[in-house]
Amino acid sequence: MAKPSPRILHNSRVYWLAFVVYWGVFLIGYDSGIAGGVISSTYFQTAFGIIPVSGIPNQRHIDSVSSNIVSALQCGALLGALTSAPISARIGRRYTLLAHILIFLVGAALLTSAGRGRGLDYIYSGRFVEGVGLGALSAVAPAYVSECSPRDVRGRITGIFQIMVAFGLTIAYFVNYGVNLHVHESSKMWRLSFGFEIVPSILMILGLLTVKESPRWLASKGRNEEALAVLAYLRGVDPGSSFVRSELTEIEAALTEEHDTRKNLGVRHAFFGKGNFVRFAIAFFIFLLQQWCGQNAINYYTPQTFASIGYTNETDALLASAIYGVVKIIATTVFVVFFIDSLGRRASLCISAVGMSVMLFIVGALLKTHPPPSTIGSSPPAASQAMAAFLYLYECFFSVGWGPLVTVYVSDIFPNRTRHYGLAVASASKWLWTFVISQVTPRMITGLGYKMFLVFATLNFGALTVFSLLIPETRGHSLEEMDIIFGSITADQRRANIEQHEKDFDGGEGSTTASDSETLSIV
């Protein structure tokens, strides 16, 4: 197997790559948080005809339009996630990200230019186009970062994904709060909120010009000299270093095994080959469960959620949402920096699920026994403040497992040749179930009340906890070792293949040829 990373190894270039690539992930978090604040604004609802200028608002109509605006993005994201796999396989990770951040910019421009005279058409179309971009970014970005990261800090570097999501959410909540205080009765309230997305988009485009392509993708195309040069660059060592030569040898051995076992079998074998199907099943169900833990119900409708527990004043609800974002980013950062590579994946996920369940059971029980006053605009009572505190603790438990680890785990488990397919399936599952959650949450808040929290609590304690204990542990293993963990190949077979490639490498024969790389491609 690949030798351990030397202590003098410098990972600054990998961290820079993650920082650049994850500006797209920042946008996922920002968009998740900004939508709820914009559509909950009375001025926005009046300007776009969601509620009448005079007369009694129809809550069912408000819930329907709100969920449609939020879920338009998920529809686009589902499309973007599914189409990103063949694009990424053909043109590489970096150019796929560049193309889709440009698509996202088109959607942001449509949202920013929306106005009274144009109705909701610009809102719906802008959200959908943005979603196409975000869907691809959410699928390709973690694969790209994982493929470039050394094994001993891969969890931490890949886990920056969730830090950037939390950062985006937090900025969105504060933008909502600031807009509500200063420009809440002007078209600037949605133009500023949506227009802000253009800034990180441009930063990402500029940053992508400074990073290199994934060495594993280069190796899969037979461009082994380039792959070795990129590995050496990322690890901060000379291309002749035994460490990067050993790492490339392990990558090539895995690629050759995939070539030998999947020749002429195409996409079908990528999904149903030995040891593969279980990985796709895990990728699909882990995101299904993540979406049903209650997190995105709160993320997308944070002001509405706090209003349901007694924060009926719009400013109070937005401030409570902003605090929720701060708690999220602090908890996520502490876990990713200090604990993600020391605790096991399964243990972290299990602790996270049990903790979330307990906190939501408490919130549901308090909401049942201490219902908030019905007076609109009143200050939140002590019971409501207690419920908010338990929601903050719920967020802390989410941030030590089912938040950052889900993306890390899925990025870990797939072999080089199917990683882009695996991440596409995982991302598609995420956006599919996010769409469902965004559709049903307004109706759950209105119709279920305290029972909504009990439903999510039960799912956390049952499904998420059991799933956490059943999946294989991946901490401390290289990406190439995942084939051994999932039974695609035995440890003895892998060791023999690596030894053969080391002999070829030392003999100057090289490895997989360019012509071989054509048959390696699944698509």
Side-chain angles (χ1 to χ4, degrees):
M1 304 302 168
K3 300 173 183 178
S5 306
R7 290 185 178 275
I8 60 171
L9 190 64
H10 298 291
N11 291 319
S12 59
R13 289 165 178 166
V14 182
Y15 280 105
W16 170 251
L17 181 142
F19 176 72
V20 168
V21 169
Y22 283 161
W23 273 114
V25 180
F26 169 91
L27 290 168
I28 295 173
Y30 181 85
D31 205 274
S32 300
I34 206 68
V38 171
I39 64 179
S40 67
S41 163
T42 302
Y43 181 82
F44 178 85
Q45 293 177 357
T46 304
F48 288 92
I50 302 171
I51 61 175
V53 177
S54 60
I56 301 175
N58 184 329
Q59 187 61 48
R60 176 176 292 183
H61 178 67
I62 295 172
D63 290 344
S64 177
V65 175
S66 298
S67 62
N68 288 340
I69 291 174
V70 171
S71 59
L73 182 134
Q74 279 83 55
C75 290
L78 180 60
L79 175 63
L82 290 174
T83 58
S84 67
I87 296 173
S88 176
R90 183 170 295 276
I91 68 173
R93 316 313 189 210
R94 189 164 72 107
Y95 285 114
T96 301
L97 292 177
L98 184 60
H100 284 86
I101 192 62
L102 292 172
I103 291 173
F104 177 87
L105 267 175
V106 174
L110 287 170
L111 288 170
T112 305
S113 62
R116 282 178 177 268
R118 291 165 179 162
L120 287 171
D121 292 345
Y122 273 54
I123 298 294
Y124 286 133
S125 59
R127 294 278 294 170
F128 180 83
V129 173
E130 278 193 340
V132 173
L134 291 183
L137 296 178
S138 67
V140 178
Y144 187 16
V145 173
S146 181
E147 289 175 351
C148 294
S149 302
R151 73 171 77 183
D152 49 352
V153 292
R154 190 177 65 246
R156 182 181 305 148
I157 294 175
T158 309
I160 295 173
F161 182 104
Q162 196 64 28
I163 293 178
M164 293 298 280
V165 170
F167 183 38
L169 272 168
T170 305
I171 296 299
Y173 292 150
F174 276 102
V175 168
N176 282 334
Y177 180 66
V179 164
N180 178 263
L181 286 179
H182 301 292
V183 290
H184 65 283
E185 292 188 354
S186 164
S187 61
K188 291 180 181 178
M189 65 85 54
W190 69 80
R191 296 190 196 281
L192 287 173
S193 298
F194 292 131
F196 179 81
E197 297 173 323
I198 296 173
V199 177
S201 301
I202 294 175
L203 290 176
M204 182 177 176
I205 291 170
L206 295 176
L208 284 172
L209 301 178
T210 69
V211 298
K212 298 184 182 297
E213 183 54 78
S214 161
R216 285 174 167 85
W217 181 83
L218 290 170
S220 74
K221 298 298 181 183
R223 296 159 62 177
N224 298 311
E225 290 186 5
E226 292 178 65
L228 181 63
V230 171
L231 273 176
Y233 172 81
L234 291 172
R235 304 295 181 257
V237 297
D238 187 86
S241 164
S242 61
F243 172 71
V244 291
R245 286 164 62 96
S246 176
E247 187 172 1
L248 182 61
T249 298
E250 187 173 6
I251 293 170
E252 291 176 334
L255 288 170
T256 300
E257 292 159 9
E258 294 166 20
H259 173 217
D260 293 341
T261 58
R262 298 170 192 179
K263 190 186 300 182
N264 302 321
L265 292 176
V267 174
R268 182 187 63 81
H269 194 77
F271 285 88
F272 298 104
K274 186 178 180 181
N276 285 353
F277 181 75
V278 65
R279 293 188 252 199
F280 282 97
I282 288 173
F284 180 84
F285 283 105
I286 199 170
F287 274 103
L288 183 159
L289 294 174
Q290 187 198 52
Q291 299 313 301
W292 283 99
C293 75
Q295 178 65 192
N296 268 349
I298 299 174
N299 283 350
Y300 280 102
Y301 300 100
T302 313
Q304 295 90 323
T305 301
F306 279 100
S308 74
I309 63 172
Y311 286 75
T312 55
N313 181 283
E314 190 172 332
T315 302
D316 288 342
L318 290 172
L319 179 59
S321 302
I323 296 172
Y324 182 84
V326 172
V327 171
K328 183 181 184 73
I329 194 170
I330 292 174
T332 303
T333 302
V334 169
F335 175 71
V336 169
V337 172
F338 297 106
F339 300 109
I340 195 168
D341 283 315
S342 57
L343 293 175
R345 308 291 196 239
R346 291 191 301 183
S348 297
L349 290 171
C350 185
I351 293 168
S352 175
V354 172
M356 288 191 293
S357 177
V358 172
M359 294 304 109
L360 290 178
F361 271 126
I362 293 173
V363 173
L366 282 173
L367 190 55
K368 169 64 175 175
T369 57
H370 296 77
S374 57
T375 307
I376 302 298
S378 61
S379 298
S384 296
Q385 295 177 38
M387 284 183 265
F390 283 112
L391 283 178
Y392 297 150
L393 289 174
Y394 158 84
E395 176 53 47
C396 290
F397 278 107
F398 176 80
S399 298
V400 301
W402 279 88
L405 270 182
V406 169
T407 301
V408 172
Y409 192 88
V410 173
S411 299
D412 281 351
I413 63 177
F414 288 98
N416 293 319
R417 185 53 58 187
T418 60
R419 186 168 295 111
H420 49 285
Y421 284 101
L423 269 293
V425 168
S427 186
S429 176
K430 169 187 174 180
W431 291 112
L432 170 64
W433 296 109
T434 303
F435 168 80
V436 174
I437 288 291
S438 65
Q439 280 286 315
V440 303
T441 297
R443 297 168 178 84
M444 292 177 73
I445 293 173
T446 301
L448 293 181
Y450 76 93
K451 295 177 184 177
M452 180 184 76
F453 297 101
L454 300 183
V455 168
F456 288 130
T458 303
L459 289 170
N460 277 292
F461 189 75
L464 276 75
T465 302
V466 172
F467 189 86
S468 300
L469 298 174
L470 291 178
I471 58 177
E473 180 61 63
T474 62
R475 181 177 64 92
H477 296 281
S478 72
L479 296 180
E480 285 66 40
E481 289 173 339
M482 298 303 159
D483 283 339
I484 300 173
I485 292 173
F486 286 93
S488 295
I489 192 171
T490 66
D492 290 340
Q493 288 174 307
R494 172 57 58 78
R495 191 176 301 110
N497 290 337
I498 290 176
E499 289 173 357
Q500 182 60 48
H501 274 272
E502 286 177 343
K503 292 178 182 177
D504 292 343
F505 203 113
D506 293 337
E509 297 175 17
S511 298
T512 311
T513 65
S515 60
D516 288 337
S517 71
E518 296 177 3
T519 59
L520 279 171
S521 183
I522 289 175
V523 294

